[in-house]
Amino acid sequence: MKLELRFFASLREALGVSQESATIPATVKTIADLRAHLIERGNPWSEVLANGKVLRCALNQHMVDASTALQDGAEVAFFPPVTGG
Amino acid sequence: MPIKIQENDFDLSAEIAALRKGEPRVGAVVSFLGTVRDMNDGSQVKGMTLEHYPGMTEKALEEILDQAKSRWDIHNTLVIHRVGSLMPEDQIVLVAVTSAHRGEAFAACEFIMDYLKTAAPFWKKEDTPEGARWVDARVTDEAAMARWK
């Protein structure tokens, strides 16, 4: 499955990546699976996306929870809780 | 229901005049203006940078405005949110709502602002004497949104 990954704010800075086209294995089915898959890359991914960190995620530009299923070609974004206003 | 994400400043009077122009059914306009404070979490704030998620920001705000329109009998809505570099005293955000009577507009304006704080993808990075830091989300903002459920 191909995904377009996006990272924002403190995550973008800590990872040094704002956008990436990724091909992921078929075993990765949900947002939570994807997070675990990225953690396997090691540092800085394992630290920035560590399970204790409170993150938000969006699938095709809609905020979703970690159990949401991925779709081929989707845009998946990870970011910290928002602080606008 | 205009939604504007912009670096430029805005004129509150001009925006509100435009929102209610040619709308004699409007009897109430409620607006919220957010500005940059010079103190946050005990540190002096010299300036800040606002980042957002282009595309998702507009969608998230549209959903919030749609929800407000379905919950209250309101006429028009406006959200302006600035991004980029801002200084203390600068205007950051404007939410304005028009309706026939004030009650609906007051409630809808507060609802939109509470949801914007927790659901619209904006992030602030502050420049302080101790260095630059990303602002942490506040638990009180989640609580403010939860009371509308």
Side-chain angles (χ1 to χ4, degrees), chain B residues 10-130:
Chain B
F10 52 85
D11 179 336
L12 179 59
S13 302
E15 296 294 344
I16 289 192
L19 190 66
R20 66 189 197 83
K21 190 177 181 187
E23 292 269 14
R25 61 183 177 156
V26 169
V29 182
V30 170
S31 64
F32 171 83
L33 178 68
T35 58
V36 181
R37 271 196 320 278
D38 66 355
M39 284 291 288
N40 192 32
D41 285 337
S43 281
Q44 201 191 343
V45 175
K46 295 189 285 184
M48 66 166 61
T49 307
L50 260 146
E51 177 174 335
H52 80 120
Y53 183 171
M56 179 176 166
T57 309
E58 291 81 357
K59 288 192 181 94
L61 291 172
E62 269 171 38
E63 281 172 27
I64 294 167
L65 296 181
D66 283 343
Q67 280 190 57
K69 286 205 163 174
S70 67
R71 285 180 74 144
W72 290 282
D73 185 11
I74 55 177
H75 295 327
N76 293 312
T77 54
L78 165 69
V79 177
I80 302 178
H81 205 299
R82 293 179 68 193
V83 292
S85 292
L86 296 171
M87 303 295 285
E89 297 185 49
D90 279 352
Q91 305 187 121
I92 307 179
V93 60
L94 171 65
V95 173
V97 179
T98 67
S99 60
H101 304 286
R102 70 184 184 285
E104 305 279 299
F106 268 124
C109 186
E110 193 167 22
F111 169 90
I112 292 164
M113 203 51 223
D114 285 348
Y115 267 72
L116 183 155
K117 280 270 184 187
T118 50
F122 293 99
W123 301 275
K124 289 181 185 135
K125 189 177 191 182
E126 293 172 339
D127 188 14
T128 75
E130 297 82 43

Side-chain angles (χ1 to χ4, degrees), chain A residues 6-13 56-58 60-63 75-77 79-85, chain B residues 51-53 55-56 59 63 81 92-93 113 116-125 134-135 137 142:
Chain A
R6 311 277 307 262
F7 304 95
F8 289 92
S10 53
L11 267 70
R12 172 182 56 72
E13 277 189 355
R56 299 282 183 263
C57 35
N60 291 330
Q61 304 189 347
H62 287 278
M63 202 107 73
E75 179 173 306
V76 181
F79 43 80
V82 303
T83 56
Chain B
E51 177 174 335
H52 80 120
Y53 183 171
M56 179 176 166
K59 288 192 181 94
E63 281 172 27
H81 205 299
I92 307 179
V93 60
M113 203 51 223
L116 183 155
K117 280 270 184 187
T118 50
F122 293 99
W123 301 275
K124 289 181 185 135
K125 189 177 191 182
W134 289 97
V135 174
E142 290 286 340

Side-chain angles (χ1 to χ4, degrees), chain A residues 4 10-11 13 16-17 22 24-25 32 37 44-45 49 52 60 67 70 84:
Chain A
E4 198 63 29
S10 53
L11 267 70
E13 277 189 355
V17 179
I24 55 159
H37 176 70
W45 301 85
L49 301 176
N60 291 330
S67 62
L70 298 167

